[in-house]
Amino acid sequence: MQKEKLNTVVKPVGEAKIYDYDPDLSTHPIPPHLHAIPVQSNNKIDHYLIRFERLLNWTFRGMMMIAGLGLAVLMFSQVIMRYVFQSPFTGIEEVAVLLAVWIYFLGMGYATRVREHIHGGIVSLVVKDPYKVSIIRFAGSITCMIAACIFGYFACKYALKEIDRGRLSVNLRWPRGLWSASMVVGFAMMVGYFLLETITEFRALCKMPRQPNKQED
């Protein structure tokens, strides 16, 4: 019995039969075809759009990197000024919050691009038909895009209100619109990537053959 147990091949979680119908669970990391951005272009318009999106992606990633490094330098400088030189500068805290909110909302959009945002997987465990799972995901992407549009609308409304009233920060006297603009950019990224994700899933649905229902004997 012990030899049989030792010789038994244990399948990794990703190769277990229960997960075969769900690519999200059976493959780690997530394969490229599950990202919001398609890997291959079907026509010239897709080709130019993908190239434009890659440029935007590098821009946003560069902004996140610069903001993250800047935030780390600011926090280190504030510690040195507060505990070594005994003369803290409160303006650093305002800039730190500014960089933090930009990192957060840019990261929110980037997580939507690579489909690393929080989502439930119980549908995949209940429904085993890949076509039905794809339909549910397609409907979920549309719902998320509509929700992002609604929240983005209120973010734009709030940012415009801040700009119109000319509100300034307490210490540095910077326009409060710099902080509010991060929400607008973040939700705009989410809407755009959810739209691309919806288009990609719709195209995949059109190409996916429907499996006939198996009748029980």
Side-chain angles (χ1 to χ4, degrees), residues 57-79:
N57 180 42
W58 281 105
T59 303
F60 291 140
R61 290 178 66 179
M63 290 173 64
M64 285 189 290
M65 185 176 296
I66 292 172
L69 291 175
L71 182 60
V73 171
L74 283 176
M75 291 293 97
F76 179 77
S77 302
Q78 182 71 335
V79 170

Side-chain angles (χ1 to χ4, degrees), residues 82-194:
R82 181 183 295 273
Y83 297 103
V84 176
F85 298 104
Q86 302 295 325
S87 62
F89 178 54
T90 54
I92 291 181
E93 297 177 0
E94 289 185 353
V95 179
V97 173
L98 174 63
L99 294 177
V101 294
W102 273 98
I103 293 172
Y104 177 82
F105 285 105
L106 287 173
M108 180 179 70
Y110 185 76
T112 306
R113 180 188 188 272
V114 296
R115 295 186 72 170
E116 288 290 343
H117 49 79
I118 298 174
H119 62 278
I122 189 161
V123 173
S124 308
L125 300 176
V126 175
V127 182
K128 296 187 178 182
D129 185 358
Y131 187 79
K132 292 180 181 178
V133 172
S134 299
I135 291 177
I136 294 171
R137 284 181 179 164
F138 175 67
S141 297
I142 293 177
T143 304
C144 291
M145 184 179 63
I146 294 173
C149 287
I150 294 172
F151 287 114
Y153 166 75
F154 286 107
C156 291
K157 191 175 179 181
Y158 177 77
L160 291 174
K161 184 179 178 181
E162 292 281 311
I163 295 171
D164 289 340
R165 292 189 176 182
R167 291 181 177 177
L168 303 175
S169 61
V170 177
N171 297 295
L172 297 176
R173 310 303 295 172
W174 287 359
R176 298 288 298 178
L178 294 174
W179 283 260
S180 305
S182 62
M183 296 189 296
V184 178
V185 174
F187 283 113
M189 289 174 66
M190 287 190 72
V191 172
Y193 286 130
F194 275 129

Side-chain angles (χ1 to χ4, degrees), residues 1-10:
M1 286 293 291
Q2 256 184 341
K3 287 183 179 179
E4 288 180 3
K5 288 181 180 179
L6 291 173
N7 294 330
T8 303
V9 179
V10 180

Side-chain angles (χ1 to χ4, degrees), residues 14-25:
E15 296 180 8
K17 190 173 181 182
I18 190 172
Y19 298 122
D20 288 346
Y21 56 86
D22 189 351
D24 279 350
L25 299 178

Side-chain angles (χ1 to χ4, degrees), residues 46-58:
D46 286 353
H47 176 70
Y48 289 119
L49 286 176
I50 289 174
R51 291 185 63 181
F52 177 68
E53 190 282 327
R54 285 177 183 171
L55 177 62
L56 288 179
N57 180 42
W58 281 105

